[in-house]
């Protein structure tokens, strides 16, 4: 399974999303990560299905929609219609996770489960065979530009081991504080999809930053000191 880079448009200029997406696609972005926040599960409010539809019209890369909302069951159909290719939902808000994961798949969308930093990976055991991917949060969700929580590296390793034990084919994605400094380490720990917001859109050249992140993740360029 090859590495995929998923720039998070949360840190892009919302008045120029089309340009932001085109830039990272020139830089080789594999996915466009879209952070949906409801001001309830997380303190921030971002975007909804109409904006995802608009992005879908201009993006060539598949849309990876991360739902940080209290009631995802109510909205998965709308986000599927808006053009999500992948959709992830938080373990913390779903007592009937199995049903939600299968509802996402029934819409023809890849289904992922997300764990917050303090959510134990043991909660993956009984869903590992059903999900297409597991998203490990390496910051507490809600905002871009936060610092990577060091324990996430061990958590990635433990997640890979758990998925292997369960003979799950789920891919591991990591989200939060990913940069040139830790990209190679999270890949070594088992991450196959790297989400990055500030490290890409917080720079003056998101196209270059996308290329650099892939190079750093695959050991091509050393992280600056
Ligand atoms: C955080 C979001 C992330 C965020 C990552 O709540 O889920 O996707 O955009 O941003 P950085 O890479 O800046 O931590
Ligand atoms: Zn995210």
């Amino acid at each position: 399974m090859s590495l995929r880079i998923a720039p998070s448009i949360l840190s892009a200029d919302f008045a120029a999303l089309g340009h932001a997406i085109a830039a990272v696609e020139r830089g080789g972005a594999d996915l466009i990560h879209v952070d949906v926040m409801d001001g309830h599960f997380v303190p921030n409010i971002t975007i909804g299905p109409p904006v995802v539809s608009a992005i879908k019209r201009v993006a060539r890369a598949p849309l990876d929609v991360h739902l940080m909302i209290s009631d995802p069951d109510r909205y998965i159909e709308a986000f599927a219609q808006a053009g999500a290719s992948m959709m992830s939902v938080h373990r913390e808000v779903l007592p009937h996770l199995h049903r939600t994961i299968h509802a996402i798949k029934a819409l023809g969308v890849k289904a992922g489960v997300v764990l917050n930093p303090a959510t134990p990976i043991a909660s993956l055991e009984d869903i590992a065979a059903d999900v297409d991917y597991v998203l490990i949060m390496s910051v507490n969700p809600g905002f871009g530009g936060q610092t990577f929580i060091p324990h996430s590296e061990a958590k990635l390793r433990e997640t890979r081991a758990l998925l292997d034990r369960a003979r799950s084919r789920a891919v591991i994605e990591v989200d939060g504080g990913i940069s040139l400094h830790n990209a190679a380490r999270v890949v070594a720990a088992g991450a196959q999809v790297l989400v990055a917001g500030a490290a890409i859109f917080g720079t003056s050249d998101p196209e270059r930053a996308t290329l650099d992140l892939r190079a750093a993740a695959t050991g091509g360029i050393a992280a600056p000191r």
Side-chain angles (χ1 to χ4, degrees):
M1 174 76 220
S2 59
L3 174 72
R4 282 180 287 171
I5 303 292
S8 163
I9 56 166
L10 183 61
S11 291
D13 177 359
F14 273 24
L17 285 177
H19 287 110
I21 289 169
V24 296
E25 287 179 341
R26 284 194 304 274
D30 300 285
L31 302 167
I32 302 298
H33 185 83
V34 182
D35 288 305
V36 175
M37 306 187 188
D38 65 354
H40 189 260
F41 174 58
V42 291
N44 205 357
I45 300 178
T46 56
I47 64 177
V51 177
V52 175
S53 294
I55 292 168
K56 179 66 187 168
R57 286 201 297 277
V58 298
R60 282 176 310 182
L63 304 185
D64 166 29
V65 175
H66 175 190
L67 296 181
M68 285 161 278
I69 62 180
S70 292
D71 191 0
D73 291 318
R74 220 173 127 186
Y75 296 100
I76 54 179
E77 199 171 339
F79 282 106
Q81 277 170 7
S85 295
M86 299 165 62
M87 212 184 297
S88 58
V89 292
H90 273 260
R91 178 73 197 98
E92 298 82 11
V93 297
L94 285 165
H96 309 296
L97 179 63
H98 181 273
R99 185 161 65 203
T100 304
I101 290 295
H102 285 279
I104 294 171
K105 289 172 131 181
L107 293 164
V109 176
K110 298 277 185 209
V113 59
V114 195
L115 301 187
N116 273 342
T119 302
I121 63 159
S123 58
L124 290 174
E125 261 164 34
D126 293 294
I127 200 73
D130 300 277
V131 292
D132 295 302
Y133 62 109
V134 172
L135 172 46
I136 298 295
M137 288 308 302
S138 40
V139 298
N140 290 292
F143 302 96
Q146 301 184 80
T147 303
F148 181 84
I149 296 171
H151 173 66
S152 314
E153 212 178 308
K155 193 165 179 178
L156 288 167
R157 288 185 198 284
E158 287 158 21
T159 302
R160 183 72 268 157
L162 182 150
L163 293 174
D164 289 347
R165 276 198 308 277
R167 299 187 194 284
S168 166
R169 294 175 154 203
V171 165
I172 302 180
E173 178 170 7
V174 64
D175 183 5
I178 300 301
S179 70
L180 297 178
H181 297 275
N182 55 27
R185 286 209 311 275
V186 295
V187 169
Q192 296 151 295
V193 179
L194 305 191
V195 177
I200 288 178
F201 291 110
T203 71
S204 58
D205 188 348
E207 176 183 344
R208 178 87 244 161
T210 306
L211 286 162
D212 287 350
L213 187 64
R214 184 189 303 281
T218 53
I221 61 170
R225 285 177 189 279

